[in-house]
Amino acid sequence: MEMTTPTEELHQQLNSWKEEVNDVRNEVKMMRERLEQIALSEASREVMTKVEQLENRLLRQREVADEMFHDIKQCAKKNSDTPVTVIHDDRPIDDFATMQHRMEIFRKLYVALKEDFNRFIPCEV
């Protein structure tokens, strides 16, 4: 299926994704800070196990967010009017449809993580 998105609309979408990924980065940072507070408390072993599990998932989410942000920027460069040489080219970042699919997966995984985090936190307040 061929994309018929005009260049300006494409760039707006890519910029929107960059903002969304940055928002996720900021939320992950706040969630990690909250988990650190719990980790410093005298919580039970069961709670500390859950804190560690969530902390690991948050760390991975941050890594994925960083990768997504980088790839979105590279996709924007490859789809711009002026040709740009991209050195880091080991993922299919020039394909808008691929980036769109990756963003959908990114969102789903983040929503699941956030739901798990929010279910856990009220138990610890």
Side-chain angles (χ1 to χ4, degrees), residues 43-57:
S44 70
R45 184 179 190 96
E46 181 181 322
V47 168
M48 294 306 285
T49 300
K50 185 65 178 175
V51 165
E52 185 177 356
Q53 291 170 350
L54 284 169
E55 174 91 331
N56 289 337
R57 288 177 65 194

Side-chain angles (χ1 to χ4, degrees), residues 18-94:
K18 285 196 295 189
E19 289 175 20
E20 183 176 348
V21 170
N22 266 333
D23 290 345
V24 167
R25 287 168 152 173
N26 291 331
E27 287 183 29
V28 164
K29 181 180 177 185
M30 289 187 296
M31 286 187 268
R32 287 191 65 210
E33 289 170 357
R34 180 64 182 111
L35 287 179
E36 286 174 10
Q37 292 172 352
I38 295 170
L40 293 174
S41 70
E42 294 184 23
S44 70
R45 184 179 190 96
E46 181 181 322
V47 168
M48 294 306 285
T49 300
K50 185 65 178 175
V51 165
E52 185 177 356
Q53 291 170 350
L54 284 169
E55 174 91 331
N56 289 337
R57 288 177 65 194
L58 289 170
L59 285 170
R60 182 61 188 135
Q61 184 69 41
R62 175 59 196 236
E63 290 171 357
V64 171
D66 289 345
E67 291 170 8
M68 286 297 298
F69 191 84
H70 170 80
D71 291 350
I72 292 166
K73 284 181 13 182
Q74 296 302 322
C75 185
K77 285 180 185 177
K78 280 196 165 190
N79 286 294
S80 69
D81 293 334
T82 54
V84 176
T85 302
V86 179
I87 296 168
H88 181 319
D89 198 17
D90 58 348
R91 291 184 292 268
I93 55 177
D94 57 336

Side-chain angles (χ1 to χ4, degrees), residues 111-124:
V111 166
L113 172 61
K114 192 171 179 177
E115 287 171 353
D116 289 348
F117 178 85
N118 288 334
R119 272 192 297 273
F120 173 71
I121 291 299
C123 299
E124 299 313 308

